Structure formats: C-alpha cells, structure tokens
Amino acid sequence: MLSGLERGIPKVTRNRRARENRSLLLQDRGVAQKCGLTGAQQTGGYQSSETAVVLVYRSFEEGIMGRLFQHLSCGIAFLLSVVLFFASMSFAQTESIKPLRVGIIGLDTSHVVVFTRIFNDPTGPEHIPGIRVVAAFKGGSPDVEDSRTRIDGFTAELRDKWNIKIVEDIPTLCGMVDAILLESVDGRTHLEQVKPVLAAKKVVFIDKPLAASYKDATEIARLAKQTGVPWFSSSSLRFWEETQRLKSPGDVVGHIIGYSVYGPSPIEPHHPDLMWYGIHSVEMLFTLMGRGCESVSRASTANEDVVVGRWKDGRLGVMRGFRNGLKKYGITLFSDKNVLYSEPRPEGYGPLLGEIAKFFRTGIPPVSPDETLEMIAFMEAADMSKARGGASVPLREVTR
C-alpha cells in the first residue's frame, strides 16, 4: 500500500527515489547493521521509500546521539583532568611551604626567646609562618655580664616552654637544621662560631653586631664569599616603620640634605663603644643615607655621643647616642623644602623577622655585605676620633 504522500508522485519518480535511498544507506553498512537490518534488507529488500526515510532518520538520530555521547565523555574527562591538575598544584604548594628548620647559636640574648615565639607560636598576633626553631647551641661569654647573668634563664625557657633541643656543639646543630640564627650577644665570638656554619653551607643571619672589629667582620665576609653561603646582619631598627617611611618620603620634601638620628647607646668594655648598642642608631642612619661615608668625627661626654659622618656627595649624617636615661629612637629629615620628623611608633621585631624568613627561603640578603662592612668601619672610626679628641678620621684608615 502507498502512503498518502506517495499516491501523488509518479511511479517512475517513486522508483528513482527508492533506489537513491537504498544507495545512500548501503554506503555505510555499519550504520545498517546498527539498525538491525538483515542481509536481504541491506541488498535492497526495502518495502517502500517511507521505510527508507524512517531508517535514514534512525541512522541520523543514532549518529547524533553517538557524537553527543563522545562530546560528553570528552567534557567529563577534561573536567576530571582539571580537578586532578589543581589537586596536584595544591599538594605541591603544601610541600613548598613546609617549615624550614632553624637552629640558634648563642642563648644569651632576649632575642632568642622573642624570635622563637614569633616563629613557633601560630596563635600569636606576630606569628610568621614557614620557619620553625627546632634546636640550639647555648654558647655564652663569662666575661660579659649580660651574657653570664641571663644565659641560663633563656636556655631553660627555650628548652622547657618551647621544646627546643639543646645540643653540645655547632656542627651537630648544623646537621639538624636548614638555616642558622647566630644570636650570641658578644660580637667577639661571631667569627669562630660562624666558621662551622659556613663549612656546613647553611644560610645564616648574624645578629648585631656582625663582629667586634672591622678585621673580624671582613674575615666573615671573605669566608662566606669563599664558601658561597648567603648571609646578612642587621638591627631591627633598619626595618622600623618610621625608618622606611622617611627613607622614601616622596616628592614633598624636595632635595634631601641629610638626616639626624638618635637613640640609646650604653657601652660594654669588650666592644667598641657604638658596636654594643649604638649600632641600632647607626643602622638607621645608614639605611637612610646609604653607602658612601668618607669620614667620621665624634664629640663625647660622660652621658652622650654626637657622631658626624661626611658622605662623598657632601651630605652630613648625624648620630646622637645617650648612655643614660632616654630609651627612645627618633629621626629628623632635612631637605631644601621641609623638615620631617619620625612619629612615636613601636619598634617591634616583626619586620626584621619577616625579612629573615624571606632571606632563608630565597638566599637573597636584604642588606648588602658592603653596606654592613661600611657601618662597622664607621663605628670603629668613631672610636679613633674620640681617642684623637674629636678629630675627623677618614674611613680609609680603617678599611685599608
């Protein structure tokens, strides 16, 4: 029987269209087989063009659905690969922030307790992640009162409160850690204490002063360069908020003529005068002025020092140190347009420890060895000037 659509079509035309439909389907026997056709149907046993149209539609439908399924499968595979990629990245990131193990040399300064608390206590407001103090070497200097009278208390606090392992020697300490904080309050001990650290290739921060003489300081720098070990030394006052603000005050000040800084400067008989505590103010001065000091003169009384440095570009930098009474730090900036003053902000350890943590990770020191060595020469020249009644002393007398 012919369908209603086929009755109006001439027989010749109907036969031609049927042959075309059979030819179209036979081009892809795989499709015909998927439709469940018998061998006779595949060779021409179709009853009408209507049947052929239905089969073409079914083949078309199955092709579309197959391709759709393929696209969905690819999409699911893609999404799965994205999830796995980010999961692997998260794992790698977790591995990369595994805390560095840090050892301390010299437990005779309050710095060791404060630094350990900031690095090890994740609940503290100043906590810096990624660094963990795990072991320490006691050290100590019996002829320095601040060392002799405090070392046992600081050692007990690290051991009992913070579970820091106390070891018998520096080589053992170096074998347990990734980086070193050399904290001994006595700068005279730093050269000998840092030698096994450099031999072990451990990156090291050396607390102020770098050494108790320019000779020792340059030897530390030489050995570090020879062994290829990164190091730096600094006072926390270098990174004080006000030091950094007045170092780069913007365009409002015009041309900066110079700076004057002040702070406490008690002395200790085994160190050049400024290297014991005045170094904090000296560090501020060099942070602000930069390198290039050529000569130093010093006026000194029983209670204070005024040290004037002349820089090679003609600027003057002044450091005023008080041996008794005043415990505050301050800065005055002089320019051809204005005078700016520091504000009374806290001088915390957080910014310094942030720089130390970054340095331990990257090996890039935030303070150049040359600037630190120039500071040591400045302080040694200040002692020479005092001995000469305040005469100007060229730094080359120290550095030659």
Side-chain angles (χ1 to χ4, degrees), residues 9 26 34 51 57 121 132 148 192 200 223 237 267 274 328:
I9 301 175
L26 290 173
K34 289 179 183 178
T51 303
Y57 171 79
D121 182 5
R132 187 164 188 84
R148 182 181 66 253
E192 291 306 313
L223 291 173
L237 271 296
I267 61 176
L274 302 184
K328 300 293 184 181

Side-chain angles (χ1 to χ4, degrees), residues 95-352:
E95 288 294 300
S96 70
I97 61 174
K98 183 179 180 180
L100 289 177
R101 301 165 303 160
V102 171
I104 296 178
I105 296 173
L107 305 184
D108 50 2
T109 167
S110 60
H111 288 186
V112 301
V113 173
V114 178
F115 290 8
T116 299
R117 173 177 56 78
I118 292 176
F119 283 138
N120 287 24
D121 182 5
T123 66
E126 299 176 279
H127 176 61
I128 296 174
I131 303 292
R132 187 164 188 84
V133 178
V134 298
F137 168 71
K138 185 176 179 180
S141 298
D143 61 343
V144 176
E145 183 179 0
D146 277 1
S147 174
R148 182 181 66 253
T149 60
R150 302 190 298 170
I151 190 168
D152 289 337
F154 294 144
T155 302
E157 184 169 353
L158 287 186
R159 182 188 62 237
D160 301 337
K161 181 176 181 179
W162 297 103
N163 298 316
I164 305 303
K165 182 175 179 59
I166 309 301
V167 301
E168 294 299 320
D169 57 71
I170 295 174
T172 299
L173 178 68
C174 290
M176 301 171 61
V177 299
D178 304 302
I180 293 290
L181 294 166
L182 203 169
E183 295 296 322
S184 296
V185 72
D186 184 355
R188 297 174 302 169
T189 66
H190 288 181
L191 174 58
E192 291 306 313
Q193 288 178 338
V194 83
K195 285 180 179 178
V197 176
L198 300 178
K201 305 286 188 179
K202 300 297 179 180
V203 61
V204 57
F205 167 76
I206 305 174
D207 213 333
K208 57 81 188 167
L210 171 61
S213 69
Y214 182 77
K215 179 181 177 181
D216 278 6
T218 54
E219 181 63 7
I220 290 173
R222 186 191 70 80
L223 291 173
K225 184 175 182 179
Q226 182 182 77
T227 54
V229 176
W231 66 277
F232 88 97
S233 179
S234 179
S235 156
S236 61
L237 271 296
R238 173 178 287 272
F239 303 103
W240 182 36
E241 183 178 354
E242 289 302 284
T243 307
Q244 294 298 314
R245 179 178 70 87
L246 293 175
K247 178 183 178 181
S248 304
D251 298 332
V252 295
V253 299
H255 175 67
I256 297 175
I257 299 170
Y259 290 90
S260 179
V261 303
Y262 66 85
S265 186
I267 61 176
E268 198 280 328
H270 301 94
H271 291 75
D273 290 351
L274 302 184
M275 289 188 194
W276 182 248
Y277 218 86
I279 188 172
H280 290 301
S281 297
V282 173
E283 187 97 40
M284 288 196 299
L285 186 64
F286 270 80
T287 304
L288 297 162
M289 296 285 291
R291 292 182 58 204
C293 183
E294 290 187 325
S295 64
V296 176
S297 59
R298 173 182 173 187
S300 182
T301 69
N303 292 318
E304 65 177 310
D305 291 300
V306 177
V307 184
V308 180
R310 180 181 294 275
W311 265 249
K312 61 184 179 182
D313 58 5
R315 292 176 302 150
L316 298 177
V318 180
M319 175 265 178
R320 195 179 199 104
F322 302 96
R323 280 192 259 286
N324 301 297
L326 184 66
K327 303 294 184 182
K328 300 293 184 181
Y329 294 93
I331 303 169
T332 304
L333 178 156
F334 301 94
S335 77
D336 58 358
K337 289 184 179 180
N338 209 343
V339 177
L340 299 182
Y341 303 93
S342 59
E343 298 178 6
R345 301 182 188 275
E347 308 107 18
Y349 293 110
L352 169 63

